């Protein structure tokens, strides 16, 4: 029986001109267990060309290593959780399936199977599946799939999917003996893709013997390199804005605290950490009691983090800082001690290990913008940072409390003589700065490890942003955060992350020598004095 099947498979593979009956789907599936990997790949391609409704299931099972054959009978079956005959779909006894010999595949055959599955799904009603099929056909071009691609392109209504199909057709056409004019058009189509995969397609053509095609491919490669350089620049800008939004959130609270009160708050990072742990507690409560609200967890956590960190900030100011005004060194040491106390308190309550804070669905995943990849969590953090900045700006410019803060910043003695309760303003300012640090912790919980050491990674950068932008000026904090973020991201590819930060620090030190009050100095008698 095995000998007969081997002979039949050999005839089937060696004689493509046999009648259609010999090339039926059933015969092709029965031929899969026999022959070399390359011969098996040819059978896979023939199975895909049949267009049989059963082909996708059979090839998927083969790709997953769940297709086998019973040696005695030659029956081909799927060997997954519910074993079944590959041709009829009839259930097969589990014991029989366990005794089946698995049809083996190697990496080259897997690529062939994926390409074949891609061709099969070009006619799927789901645009996402058609797009995936077109991409698969692009990665594994097959000149014999040109007719299938032409038919799919003619029927396609989605612009993005149609473009992907045209690119797959162009790559397949370049592997044929088509006319030079057709190949030149195909080169233009591939060049418009503009990514590294297009370069891989065009590089061999640029080094080929056909002068016209080589010149067109070389010109296309130059165009792609220019486009990639431009998109690389844009990607670095985006990374810089993303880092800048994190620095803005971490530093903006410190900016108003340092600017109004002149207090070097070394516990600011721990206030950020408290915001992150508040987010963790909220998510744990939601997971336990109301899982359906998980998508709203960050919106629930944000005001709670603001209140928690703000309350701790007011307690620090009323209990410690207000006794040390005008004594910068003592304030620095005292707040550093508070930071150690907060870290140890969190370790005692939550443990020293990282805590899991999940991303809601609307903050998960990414999307492509041209050749840039933008993650949703980073985009929403940027939006959140700008929203916090705008809200703080409104508070400072349009409310009585903000007016009092600005008055105390510019001339504390005069503000006190005008009836402003400066101790109240100090507590309010410290609490506001601490609350904003808590909001920063909510955002950072989505992109960083939530641990007792979370804030330590941002305290130095926060002070750099505040000093560079100008103490007490929130516009300066905005400019400083995004400037340092962008500069860091452009330096990292050349100097590395650590050396890049050192270079930025040295540059800020030199800058402060020329402009001691930063980019945007606050004006006023108290400040100038």
């Amino acid at each position: 029986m095995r000998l007969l099947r081997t002979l039949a498979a050999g005839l089937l593979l060696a004689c493509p001109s046999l009648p259609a009956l010999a090339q039926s789907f059933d015969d092709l599936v029965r031929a899969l267990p026999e022959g070399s990997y390359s011969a098996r790949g040819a059978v896979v391609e023939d199975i895909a060309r049949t267009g049989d409704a059963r082909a996708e299931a059979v090839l998927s099972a083969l790709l997953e290593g769940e297709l086998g054959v019973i040696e005695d009978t030659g029956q081909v079956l799927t060997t997954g959780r519910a074993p079944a005959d590959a041709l009829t779909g009839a259930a097969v006894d589990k014991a029989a399936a366990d005794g089946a010999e698995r049809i083996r595949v190697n990496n080259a055959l897997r690529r062939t199977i994926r390409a074949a599955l891609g061709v099969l799904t070009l006619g799927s009603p789901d645009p996402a599946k058609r797009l995936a099929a077109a991409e698969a056909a692009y990665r594994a071009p097959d000149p014999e799939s040109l007719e299938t691609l032409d038919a799919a392109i003619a029927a396609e209504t989605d612009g993005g999917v149609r473009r992907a199909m045209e690119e797959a057709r162009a790559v397949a056409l370049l592997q044929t003996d088509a006319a030079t004019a057709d190949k030149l058009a195909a080169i233009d189509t591939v060049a418009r893709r503009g990514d590294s995969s297009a370069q891989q397609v065009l590089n061999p053509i640029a080094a080929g013997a056909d002068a016209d095609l080589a010149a067109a491919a070389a010109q296309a490669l130059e165009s792609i390199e220019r486009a990639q350089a431009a998109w690389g620049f844009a990607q670095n800008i985006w990374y810089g804005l993303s880092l800048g939004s994190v620095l803005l959130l971490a530093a903006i609270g410190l900016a108003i605290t340092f600017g109004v009160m002149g207090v070097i708050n070394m516990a600011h990072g721990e206030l950020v950490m408290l915001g992150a742990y508040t987010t963790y507690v909220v998510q744990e409560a939601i997971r336990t009691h109301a899982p359906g609200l998980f998508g709203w967890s960050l919106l629930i956590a944000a005001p709670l983090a603001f209140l928690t960190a703000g309350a701790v900030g007011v307690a620090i100011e009323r209990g410690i800082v207000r006794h040390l005004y005008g004594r910068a060194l003592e304030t620095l040491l005292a707040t550093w001690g508070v930071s150690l106390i907060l870290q140890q308190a969190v370790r005692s309550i939550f443990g020293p290990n990282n805590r899991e804070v999940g991303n809601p669905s609307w903050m998960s995943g990414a999307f492509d913008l041209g050749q840039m990849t933008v993650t949703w969590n980073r985009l929403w953090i940027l939006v959140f940072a700008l929203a916090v900045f705008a809200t703080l700006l409104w508070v400072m410019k349009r409310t009585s409390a903000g007016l009092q803060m600005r008055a105390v910043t510019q001339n504390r003695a005069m503000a006190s003589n005008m009836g402003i309760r400066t101790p109240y303003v100090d507590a309010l300012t410290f609490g506001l700065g601490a609350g904003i640090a808590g909001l920063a912790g909510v955002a950072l919980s989505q992109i960083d490890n939530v641990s007792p050491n979370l804030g330590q990674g941002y305290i130095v950068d926060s002070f750099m942003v505040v000093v560079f932008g100008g103490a007490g000026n929130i516009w300066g904090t905005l400019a400083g955060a995004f400037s340092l973020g962008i500069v860091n991201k452009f330096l990292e590819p050349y100097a590395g992350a650590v050396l890049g930060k050192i270079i930025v620090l040295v540059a800020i030190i030199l800058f402060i020598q020329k402009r001691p009050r930063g980019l945007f100095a606050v004006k006023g008698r108290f400040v100038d004095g």
Side-chain angles (χ1 to χ4, degrees):
M1 175 65 71
R2 181 177 178 86
L3 178 60
L4 290 174
R5 286 194 294 107
T6 303
L7 290 173
L11 287 171
L12 187 61
L13 294 174
C15 303
S17 60
L18 286 175
L21 182 62
Q23 297 282 348
S24 71
F25 175 80
D26 289 13
D27 289 338
L28 289 167
V29 171
R30 294 189 184 101
L32 273 175
E34 311 301 337
S36 64
Y37 286 121
S38 59
R40 204 167 290 164
V43 174
V44 166
E45 292 172 349
D46 289 341
I47 288 175
R49 293 190 194 102
T50 64
D52 194 286
R54 300 166 291 176
E56 184 176 356
V58 170
L59 294 181
S60 295
L62 180 61
L63 181 63
E64 298 297 326
E66 295 180 349
L67 197 67
V69 59
I70 298 177
E71 290 293 325
D72 294 338
T73 63
Q75 182 185 18
V76 179
L77 58 135
T78 58
T79 59
R81 293 183 178 180
D85 188 288
L87 298 175
T88 66
V92 175
D93 182 74
K94 182 67 174 175
D98 291 341
E101 181 180 349
R102 184 167 66 90
I103 301 176
R104 300 185 179 280
V105 295
N106 61 5
N107 289 335
L109 184 54
R110 288 188 186 94
R111 288 192 292 270
T112 303
I113 297 169
R114 290 190 185 99
L117 284 169
V119 172
L120 280 172
T121 52
L122 282 172
S124 170
D126 185 353
K129 288 186 177 180
R130 296 199 302 275
L131 179 61
E135 292 292 344
Y138 178 90
R139 291 190 297 269
D142 180 8
E144 295 188 17
S145 67
L146 282 172
E147 291 184 8
T148 303
L149 286 167
D150 285 336
I153 291 170
E156 185 56 60
T157 57
D158 186 288
V161 177
R162 182 185 179 88
R163 183 168 58 253
M165 289 179 177
E166 289 172 346
E167 291 167 355
R169 181 187 181 279
V171 177
L173 181 70
L174 289 172
Q175 298 192 4
T176 67
D177 295 329
T180 300
D182 293 335
K183 287 191 173 183
L184 290 174
I187 288 173
D188 289 339
T189 301
V190 174
R192 284 196 294 272
R193 186 180 178 99
D195 59 5
S196 58
S197 65
Q199 289 178 303
Q200 292 174 0
V201 172
L202 295 175
N203 276 326
I205 300 174
D210 191 309
D212 293 336
L213 296 179
Q219 185 177 1
L221 286 169
E222 290 178 3
S223 175
I224 290 172
E225 288 173 0
R226 288 195 298 270
Q228 286 184 333
W231 281 111
F233 181 84
Q235 185 78 70
N236 278 335
I237 293 289
W238 163 247
Y239 287 152
L241 292 175
S242 176
L243 175 60
S245 66
V246 172
L247 295 177
L248 176 63
L249 280 171
I252 193 169
L254 188 64
I256 59 174
T257 303
F258 187 44
V260 173
M261 306 167 65
V263 173
I264 302 175
N265 180 17
M266 295 301 293
H268 186 78
E270 278 58 49
L271 296 172
V272 173
M273 176 262 293
L274 289 180
Y277 271 96
T278 302
T279 308
Y280 164 72
V281 171
V282 168
Q283 286 199 350
E284 286 300 299
I286 289 176
R287 285 190 180 104
T288 304
H289 302 290
L293 294 177
F294 188 80
W296 297 87
S297 60
L298 295 186
L299 299 179
I300 296 171
L304 294 176
F306 180 86
L307 293 174
T308 301
V312 173
V314 171
I316 293 172
E317 196 279 334
R318 290 288 84 190
I320 299 174
V321 173
R322 73 186 179 97
H323 302 292
L324 301 173
Y325 286 138
R327 297 152 64 184
L329 180 59
E330 287 89 336
T331 304
L332 186 151
L333 292 174
T335 53
W336 178 62
V338 170
S339 74
L340 297 180
I341 292 171
L342 291 175
Q343 284 186 45
Q344 191 56 48
V346 167
R347 284 193 181 92
S348 300
I349 296 170
F350 298 100
N353 298 327
N354 295 342
R355 294 295 173 176
E356 179 187 359
V357 175
N359 288 352
S361 58
W362 48 275
M363 285 193 74
S364 302
F367 65 93
D368 291 330
L369 181 63
Q371 294 184 37
M372 286 173 51
T373 299
V374 179
T375 56
W376 283 110
N377 59 355
R378 291 279 183 173
L379 179 61
W380 281 115
I381 288 173
L382 175 60
V383 172
F384 181 64
L386 294 176
V388 170
F389 175 82
T391 303
L392 179 61
L393 193 64
W394 178 81
V395 168
M396 297 295 288
K397 297 291 186 182
R398 301 293 182 183
T399 68
S400 175
L403 179 62
Q404 292 180 22
M405 287 182 198
R406 288 187 289 127
V408 172
T409 300
Q410 293 181 13
N411 194 318
R412 177 179 291 271
M414 180 65 74
S416 178
N417 290 335
M418 293 296 292
I420 295 176
R421 297 165 55 195
T422 53
Y424 167 81
V425 173
D426 290 337
L428 177 64
T429 303
F430 209 97
L432 179 61
I436 294 174
L439 292 178
V442 176
L444 291 176
S445 70
Q446 300 298 295
I447 59 174
D448 207 339
N449 295 323
V450 177
S451 72
N453 298 321
L454 171 65
Q456 294 298 302
Y458 296 95
I459 186 66
V460 174
D461 288 337
S462 297
F463 274 109
M464 286 171 59
V465 168
V466 171
V467 172
F468 177 62
N473 191 307
I474 59 175
W475 282 107
T477 304
L478 177 74
F482 285 119
S483 297
L484 294 183
I486 292 172
V487 169
N488 262 310
K489 287 303 176 182
F490 274 97
L491 284 176
E492 279 181 9
Y494 306 101
V498 176
L499 183 57
K501 283 193 174 185
I502 294 173
I503 292 173
V504 170
L505 177 60
V506 171
I508 289 176
I509 292 172
L510 296 176
F511 176 80
I512 295 301
Q513 296 297 314
K514 297 294 184 182
R515 291 182 64 92
R517 294 176 187 158
L519 282 175
F520 301 95
V522 177
K523 301 296 183 181
R525 291 186 182 89
F526 171 71
V527 176
D528 292 342

